[in-house]
């Protein structure tokens, strides 16, 4: 099938990694992006967790023009950029939420290193490991589970078609907080970043993460960022080979 071409305006900061890539007219983690967006239908309900500037949410809102996008971004800084993008494109089918997702309801601190503005995380250790820096900003944020949020929005769990998660280490905690969605949405498609050091920084175990996915989904694929993309099917037999690499599944 021909790839649908849609265009949106996007507001970014040109001082950070993701912003620079977008300004260059490229797509961050392009292979994963293309693999995900090709499944979006005109009436899809998509949850974008870790929306950043909205590169997924804004494009998905055009592809799912009769659907709904729930865009979740904890960083107040990026949330403002996201809202500007929604306004600029006159988009009516995105619900933007300035909150962090996890496996509990409460509050937390979002840690940010200034030279890597997009790398806000709930886990200080991740910043130490990845950027070797102490956070220079700590922002108090609300935390909730996806199950709770959808209930508050009166959105039935079984209507969710697609979920994208890119959240600097909180991936498995967020997946544990969407048990109802994963139980009731029979054919949900999930794209999640998987980086062993980030999962470890969150206090979770990367093997548990992969096993959780293999046990829940009919098919689990690693999409590499090679050109062209390599697709690796994960299963119980080859899990040990892949739990220690950083990849997007």
């Amino acid at each position: 099938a021909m790839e649908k071409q849609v265009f949106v305006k996007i507001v970014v900061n040109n001082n950070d990694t993701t912003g620079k890539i977008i300004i260059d007219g490229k797509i961050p983690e392009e292979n994963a992006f293309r693999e995900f967006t090709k499944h979006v239908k005109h009436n899809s309900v998509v949850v974008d967790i870790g929306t950043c500037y909205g590169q997924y949410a804004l494009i998905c809102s055009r592809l799912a023009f009769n659907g709904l996008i729930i865009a979740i971004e904890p960083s107040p800084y990026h949330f403002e950029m996201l809202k500007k993008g929604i306004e600029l494109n006159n988009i009516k089918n995105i619900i933007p939420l300035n909150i962090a997702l996890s496996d509990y309801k409460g509050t937390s601190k979002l840690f940010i290193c200034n030279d890597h503005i997009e790398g806000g995380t709930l886990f200080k250790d991740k910043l130490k490991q990845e950027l070797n820096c102490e956070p220079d900003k700590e922002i108090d944020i609300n935390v909730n589970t996806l199950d709770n949020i959808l209930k508050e929005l009166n959105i039935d769990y079984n209507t969710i078609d697609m979920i994208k998660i890119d959240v600097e280490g909180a991936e498995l905690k967020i997946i544990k907080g969407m048990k109802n969605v994963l139980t009731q949405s029979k054919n949900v498609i999930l794209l999640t970043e998987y980086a062993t050091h980030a999962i470890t920084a969150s206090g979770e175990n990367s093997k548990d993460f992969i096993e959780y996915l293999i046990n829940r989904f009919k098919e689990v694929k690693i999409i590499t960022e090679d050109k062209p993309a390599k697709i690796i099917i994960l299963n119980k037999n080859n899990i040990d080979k892949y739990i220690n690499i950083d990849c997007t599944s």
Side-chain angles (χ1 to χ4, degrees):
M2 284 281 292
E3 209 175 83
K4 286 201 273 306
Q5 289 258 314
V6 294
F7 297 95
V8 292
K9 294 173 182 152
I10 187 162
V11 182
V12 302
N13 179 334
N14 60 357
N15 290 324
D16 77 22
T17 322
T18 302
K20 283 186 182 123
I21 293 168
I22 293 169
I23 284 171
D24 283 345
K26 299 191 181 84
I27 301 168
E29 292 157 2
E30 184 177 354
N31 294 350
F33 181 87
R34 289 190 185 282
E35 184 65 29
F36 185 79
T37 52
K38 79 180 189 194
H39 293 284
V40 181
K41 299 184 176 71
H42 72 96
N43 58 352
S44 292
V45 180
V46 181
V47 184
D48 180 5
I49 305 169
T51 301
C52 195
Y53 297 120
Q55 54 270 34
Y56 276 83
L58 297 171
I59 291 285
C60 287
S61 79
R62 290 277 194 256
L63 296 170
F65 48 89
N66 296 322
L68 180 66
I69 317 299
I70 299 133
I72 299 167
E73 174 51 52
S75 157
Y77 169 85
H78 283 106
F79 190 70
E80 283 312 305
M81 303 271 210
L82 169 67
K83 283 200 305 193
K84 281 181 189 156
I86 293 169
E87 270 168 46
L88 261 183
N89 295 286
N90 194 23
I91 287 169
K92 303 280 185 267
N93 62 341
I94 293 181
I95 299 173
L97 301 172
N98 185 205
I99 192 166
L101 289 196
S102 189
D103 55 356
Y104 67 95
K105 182 176 182 169
T107 56
S108 184
K109 291 208 180 299
L110 185 72
F111 299 107
I112 295 174
C113 273
N114 213 17
D115 61 345
H116 189 74
I117 295 161
E118 77 270 26
T121 176
L122 299 178
F123 313 107
K124 244 185 192 167
D125 280 357
K126 180 178 183 286
L127 293 177
K128 283 206 187 80
Q129 287 176 13
E130 198 169 282
L131 304 166
N132 196 20
C133 82
E134 285 292 327
D136 49 17
K137 272 205 196 98
E138 294 185 12
I139 303 169
D140 290 310
I141 49 164
N142 289 318
V143 179
N144 210 335
T145 67
L146 182 61
D147 283 348
N148 285 346
I149 280 174
L150 293 175
K151 197 173 175 192
E152 286 166 18
L153 292 170
N154 287 319
I155 295 172
D156 288 340
Y157 300 127
N158 63 4
T159 60
I160 303 300
D161 298 303
M162 302 181 68
I163 302 168
K164 166 245 160 184
I165 313 177
D166 185 351
V167 289
E168 313 302 324
E171 286 82 6
L172 182 54
K173 289 195 181 302
I174 288 173
I175 288 168
K176 287 178 174 176
M178 58 170 83
K179 283 206 173 71
N180 292 332
V181 173
L182 291 181
T183 308
Q184 294 180 35
S185 300
K186 291 291 170 266
N187 297 310
V188 68
I189 292 171
L190 172 73
L191 172 74
T192 174
E193 185 168 73
Y194 166 71
T196 45
H197 69 277
I199 298 292
T200 308
S202 80
E204 298 285 357
N205 176 308
S206 54
K207 186 168 186 179
D208 292 348
F209 186 18
I210 298 282
E211 280 182 342
Y212 198 103
L213 296 178
I214 288 173
N215 289 332
R216 163 59 183 85
F217 290 92
K218 290 195 279 281
E219 187 174 66
V220 178
K221 303 190 286 192
I222 294 173
I223 304 158
T224 71
E225 281 304 313
D226 301 310
K227 300 272 180 271
K230 285 197 195 76
I231 306 275
I232 300 153
I233 307 292
L234 273 185
N235 55 46
K236 287 189 168 66
N237 299 324
N238 67 4
I239 180 172
D240 288 322
K241 191 173 164 189
Y242 293 108
I243 50 171
N244 290 320
I245 60 167
D246 287 353
C247 55
T248 308
S249 79

